[in-house]
Amino acid sequence: MTPPPVLERRDGAIAVVTLNRPEALNALNLEMRDLLPQVLDGLNADDAVRAVVLTGAGGRAFSAGQDLNDSAGFDATTVQEHFLHLGALYQSVRALEKPVIVALNGLAAGFGLQTALHADIRIAHAEVCMGQPEVRAGIPSTVGPFIIERVVGHARAVELSLTGRLVDAETCLAWGMVNEIVAPEHVMPRAMQLAGELAALPSLAVRLTKRRLRERTQADYDETVQAAMRYQQAAYLDGEPQRVAAAFFAERAVARNRRKV
């Protein structure tokens, strides 16, 4: 039986949610896209949960982004539906009225970056890198710039979205994309420590503070999701993402055959 792509466990008042596709660098597939909001919405409704820690399985990635095996099958219609569901996924992170700490255990790109930045606090180690590589896959970067701009400013959002480059942990710390860098073995303990401290705070004050912070950007976020659906449809009608994906899979097949020789 294939393990679920999202795991949840409890440690007292702390819920630990794990993206669980380590063999695919925890890339977002359709099952994870639909399951993660269900898990987070359930935690939001559970008064016994006072804080959430979000992490990735394995030691290589929090999430490498969208699973290309899924997105290769998108067309101008299905990509709109996908971004509607993806918007709901990010909204489930935004809507959490309990503190959310991300324990970054490796690469956070695309979906991984955006999910992490929608959370409240991010703990990383020195080998973590983050980026918004969508343009390199022929995909317009739409939701990413929204959250990047709010965390690190317009100029950095432009740089990351247009270049698609990855930035290292020290740069992420200097820019404010991560809050702390600790040793790899201390990432989860530090995240749990912070979650415990935040879980001990007066819950109504925390909930109302998070609600107000979300309200200040909600209208812009809703507009961004609608814009994402339009721009993604335009890209897929042109066929550029499909062409880039086809070239990627062709190159991967050639490399695989070379290794067999």
Side-chain angles (χ1 to χ4, degrees):
M1 178 180 293
T2 303
V6 180
L7 302 177
E8 178 205 338
R9 66 177 177 86
R10 302 291 178 92
D11 187 338
I14 303 169
V16 179
V17 177
T18 303
L19 306 180
N20 186 42
R21 300 187 69 224
E23 74 288 349
L25 299 181
N26 301 315
L28 178 74
N29 65 358
L30 299 182
E31 187 181 3
M32 182 188 289
R33 181 200 69 185
D34 294 339
L35 182 57
L36 184 56
Q38 296 177 29
V39 171
L40 297 181
D41 290 347
L43 297 177
N44 209 23
D46 189 342
D47 290 339
V49 175
R50 300 286 295 269
V52 177
V53 172
L54 184 58
T55 192
R60 300 170 61 196
F62 172 63
S63 175
Q66 174 66 47
D67 190 321
L68 295 179
N69 291 302
D70 279 359
S71 61
F74 290 165
D75 58 27
T77 299
T78 56
V79 76
Q80 282 196 310
E81 180 184 1
H82 171 66
F83 268 82
L84 183 63
H85 285 283
L86 190 59
L89 187 161
Y90 293 138
Q91 180 63 29
S92 70
V93 182
R94 290 172 51 82
L96 275 168
E97 294 189 337
K98 297 102 188 286
V100 186
I101 298 93
V102 178
L104 290 167
N105 52 314
L107 172 67
F111 156 76
L113 168 75
Q114 293 168 55
T115 300
L117 294 187
H118 277 296
D120 301 313
I121 296 173
R122 292 156 293 279
I123 307 300
H125 60 73
E127 299 305 313
V128 164
C129 56
M130 304 177 77
Q132 181 67 10
E134 290 174 327
V135 293
R136 294 175 179 258
I139 298 171
S141 191
T142 48
V143 179
F146 164 86
I147 187 59
I148 297 170
E149 183 173 45
R150 278 150 186 79
V151 175
V152 300
H154 182 74
R156 298 302 187 194
V158 171
E159 179 181 354
L160 289 173
S161 300
L162 288 182
T163 67
R165 74 181 182 94
L166 297 175
V167 292
D168 60 30
E170 288 295 340
T171 303
C172 289
L173 180 64
W175 288 3
M177 292 201 295
V178 301
N179 298 84
E180 295 181 23
I181 296 175
V182 298
E185 65 272 20
H186 295 155
V187 170
M188 181 56 77
R190 177 56 176 152
M192 294 296 291
Q193 179 187 9
L194 283 171
E197 293 172 1
L198 293 170
L201 295 173
S203 60
L204 179 60
V206 170
R207 185 164 69 250
L208 294 180
T209 298
K210 290 207 62 177
R211 186 178 301 174
R212 178 55 188 153
L213 289 169
R214 182 177 71 252
E215 287 175 346
R216 294 183 66 243
T217 60
Q218 190 62 52
D220 285 348
Y221 178 76
D222 292 340
E223 188 278 332
T224 295
V225 173
Q226 292 301 312
M229 294 169 65
R230 295 195 306 272
Y231 284 104
Q232 298 299 326
Q233 183 183 47
Y236 276 83
L237 281 171
D238 173 83
E240 185 170 63
Q242 297 96 311
R243 292 192 295 272
V244 174
F248 169 79
F249 284 115
E251 290 175 7
R252 189 165 70 175
V254 169
R256 187 182 300 117
N257 289 334
R258 284 175 179 167
R259 287 195 296 269
K260 291 179 181 178
V261 175

